[in-house]
Amino acid sequence: MFARIRIFARSAYSLAFGLVFFSSLRLFECAIWLTPGARRVFWDPRDFSWTRILEAMHAGIKQEFLAIRGVTNIPPYHELSDQQRALTTHGFEWKTFVLVAYGHKVAGNLERCPNTAQALMQVPGLSSAMFSILSDEAVIKPHVGPYKGVLRYHLGVIVPKPEEHARICVSGIHRSWFEGESLVFDDTFMHEVIKNNRGDRVVLFIDIERPLPWPMAKVNRFFVRMIGGSPFVREILHNIDRWDDALSNEVEPMLEAISDVGRK
């Protein structure tokens, strides 16, 4: 009897907490819409000093990814987050190698990419980071990001030619990727990806906390961290661990050799 009461009480508490949290989150997003730059779709990468650092480290980052690509079981994105399944036609054309997921570091993957891990340390307010791989003639369907408190960054790691045939459209504005160059945009605007060229398009995909005045920046960091503890994120972390366990030990010596070359 008492056990059932405890279960009911916990369920009721979780439901009430969830309702209060997400209501507060949406109210805070309304406040963000009133801040300068809230309606800006693409941001100037030069507004963020660290983008120059990542661009300068592009060669080492690319070298590490080329080694990682030798691992055939980089997961399709929907194998980590089922919510992504509807965004692609077949499901296997969008793959991700996750380094940080909503503030949670994926230690094994970061160890395999020490130069990239070092680059990520230069990014203040980093929430998530991964290599995002899009294969031949793929499409990511129109969608919006879940939270206004972050901005999306892409560093072109590998971009097949002609570059103009791989583009992202955000709120009707088209941009293409170029190797070693940066894009920063607000993913809460409707966006999609259209790729009509052959070969993998690879970007270093990073979410950062949106620049906000104090004390909104403190509140925003609180919400970002709370999202990192949600069941949605816990599912992603569980699936990352499952795929990480499947990586072959035979790849590790190759990655270490590549890292040694990059440090010389």
Side-chain angles (χ1 to χ4, degrees), residues 27-258:
L27 284 173
F28 183 69
E29 285 186 297
C30 292
I32 292 176
W33 276 106
L34 301 176
T35 62
R39 301 186 184 279
R40 191 185 310 173
V41 177
F42 281 93
W43 292 56
D44 185 349
R46 296 299 173 252
D47 289 342
F48 307 91
S49 59
W50 50 265
T51 61
R52 294 184 177 89
I53 299 174
L54 267 62
E55 290 171 357
M57 299 179 74
H58 166 258
I61 293 170
K62 179 178 179 179
Q63 199 171 39
E64 285 182 337
F65 175 77
L66 290 173
I68 290 296
R69 191 164 63 176
V71 182
T72 58
N73 59 344
I74 293 178
Y77 199 4
H78 72 265
E79 292 286 345
L80 302 181
S81 173
D82 192 62
Q83 295 184 11
Q84 313 303 323
R85 187 181 300 273
L87 296 182
T88 56
T89 303
H90 305 293
F92 293 93
E93 57 267 44
W94 189 11
K95 296 184 176 183
T96 56
F97 189 80
V98 179
L99 303 165
V100 182
Y102 297 89
H104 300 273
K105 295 180 180 180
V106 184
N109 288 352
L110 288 168
E111 289 173 2
R112 296 180 182 100
C113 306
N115 293 320
T116 306
Q118 182 182 3
L120 296 180
M121 291 176 62
Q122 313 304 314
V123 184
L126 183 147
S127 170
S128 297
M130 64 186 180
F131 287 112
S132 173
I133 307 115
L134 202 58
S135 61
D136 296 342
E137 299 181 355
V139 170
I140 298 177
K141 299 173 185 177
H143 62 289
V144 296
Y147 178 51
K148 188 75 175 174
V150 299
L151 295 177
R152 176 71 41 82
Y153 170 81
H154 285 177
L155 173 69
V157 177
I158 300 174
V159 184
K161 297 183 181 298
E163 291 92 343
E164 293 78 9
H165 286 194
R167 61 194 185 278
I168 185 168
C169 177
V170 187
S171 193
I173 303 172
H174 292 259
R175 293 285 188 274
S176 293
W177 298 273
F178 295 89
E179 291 194 14
E181 296 186 14
S182 300
L183 288 177
V184 182
F185 60 95
D186 183 340
D187 80 323
T188 60
F189 291 100
M190 187 67 70
H191 59 286
E192 62 183 316
V193 173
I194 303 167
K195 184 177 179 299
N196 296 319
N197 53 10
R198 306 282 299 174
D200 288 345
R201 182 239 57 181
V202 182
V203 298
L204 181 60
F205 169 124
I206 296 174
D207 279 347
I208 60 167
E209 295 172 8
R210 174 185 286 270
L212 291 169
W214 189 92
M216 290 183 70
K218 295 290 187 181
V219 177
N220 187 44
R221 179 161 296 181
F222 165 77
F223 280 121
V224 170
R225 290 179 177 175
M226 290 297 291
I227 293 170
S230 67
F232 163 74
V233 175
R234 289 200 297 269
E235 177 192 4
I236 293 174
L237 294 171
H238 171 76
N239 290 331
I240 289 171
D241 287 342
R242 179 169 56 85
W243 277 89
D244 184 61
D245 291 342
L247 285 174
S248 170
N249 292 329
E250 296 177 0
V251 177
E252 303 303 328
M254 178 181 67
L255 296 179
E256 291 175 5
I258 291 292

